[in-house]
């Protein structure tokens, strides 16, 4: 289970880093909005405020996405053993290796690469419920599930 714990930790660290950046961004935008409020009135002022507000809303949506990913990650039990692929499974295939968790992309542990993918991703949708030995075809490219942890 050490591999699963390492992958979990890498995903969690990446989320924490993104959370730190987005919170700083929101704080910076709020400060910019406050300073924009103090500046002169007029169309230019209103446009500036509107642009900052749009950026603040985007950052807010990103924050919600990060929080949703944190909740999803918290549902993973690193000690759980899987025979069928589910949330939290580490999956070795004849093509790539996957960690069904959050969409975090490629994670390298020593010399082995894994792709942290969301259960909602197209490849995960094909993998969920499958077991060792099952053959899946993704984009007309067949591959075999070699191991599920």
């Amino acid at each position: 289970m050490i591999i699963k714990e390492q992958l979990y930790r890498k995903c969690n660290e990446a989320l924490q880093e993104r959370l730190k950046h987005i919170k700083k961004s929101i704080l910076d935008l709020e400060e910019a909005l406050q300073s924009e409020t103090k500046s002169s009135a007029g169309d230019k002022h209103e446009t500036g405020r509107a642009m900052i507000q749009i950026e603040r809303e985007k950052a807010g949506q990103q924050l919600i996405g990060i929080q949703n990913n944190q909740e999803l990650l918290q549902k993973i039990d690193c000690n759980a053993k899987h025979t069928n692929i589910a949330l939290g499974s580490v999956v070795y295939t004849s093509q790539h290796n996957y960690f069904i968790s959050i969409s975090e992309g490629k994670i390298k542990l020593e010399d082995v690469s894994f792709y942290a993918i969301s259960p909602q991703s197209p490849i995960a949708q094909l993998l969920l419920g499958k077991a060792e030995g099952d053959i899946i075809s993704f984009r007309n490219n067949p591959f075999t599930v070699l191991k599920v942890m």
Side-chain angles (χ1 to χ4, degrees):
M1 291 301 132
I2 290 172
I3 289 172
K4 190 183 289 190
E5 290 169 0
Q6 289 175 325
L7 290 167
Y8 180 92
R9 190 172 40 249
K10 293 264 188 190
C11 286
N12 197 35
E13 287 169 1
L15 275 180
Q16 293 306 318
E17 192 63 30
R18 279 194 287 180
L19 183 62
K20 186 173 80 174
H21 285 299
I22 202 68
K23 282 184 174 181
K24 183 183 180 329
S25 177
I26 289 171
L27 192 61
D28 291 348
L29 287 166
E30 287 173 354
E31 286 175 8
L33 197 57
Q34 289 300 322
S35 81
E36 192 69 29
T37 301
K38 295 174 187 170
S39 70
S40 62
D43 288 343
K44 191 174 179 183
H45 167 72
E46 289 304 316
T47 301
R49 282 186 56 79
M51 295 300 286
I52 293 169
Q53 194 60 38
I54 288 169
E55 289 302 313
R56 171 65 179 88
E57 287 172 16
K58 283 185 202 173
Q61 289 301 314
Q62 290 174 340
L63 181 62
I64 290 169
I66 291 168
Q67 290 167 338
N68 290 341
N69 278 335
Q70 285 176 318
E71 289 174 19
L72 185 62
L73 207 54
Q74 288 173 354
K75 292 178 183 178
I76 294 173
D77 177 4
C78 289
N79 297 314
K81 295 187 188 304
H82 299 269
T83 52
N84 289 11
I85 299 169
L87 177 66
S89 293
V90 175
V91 184
Y92 292 84
T93 74
S94 56
Q95 292 285 329
H96 301 289
N97 304 316
Y98 300 98
F99 178 44
I100 312 296
S101 56
I102 61 170
S103 182
E104 197 50 53
K106 191 175 189 176
I107 298 173
K108 201 161 177 122
L109 297 179
E110 295 168 20
D111 286 339
V112 182
S113 294
F114 295 87
Y115 290 93
I117 60 173
S118 159
Q120 289 80 29
S121 70
I123 190 80
Q125 289 292 303
L126 291 173
L127 289 168
L128 290 172
K130 300 295 189 273
E132 290 177 16
D134 286 347
I135 297 171
I136 291 109
S137 182
F138 183 66
R139 297 185 180 150
N140 295 322
N141 188 10
F143 60 93
T144 306
V145 176
L146 303 175
K147 185 177 179 182
V148 178
M149 296 172 45

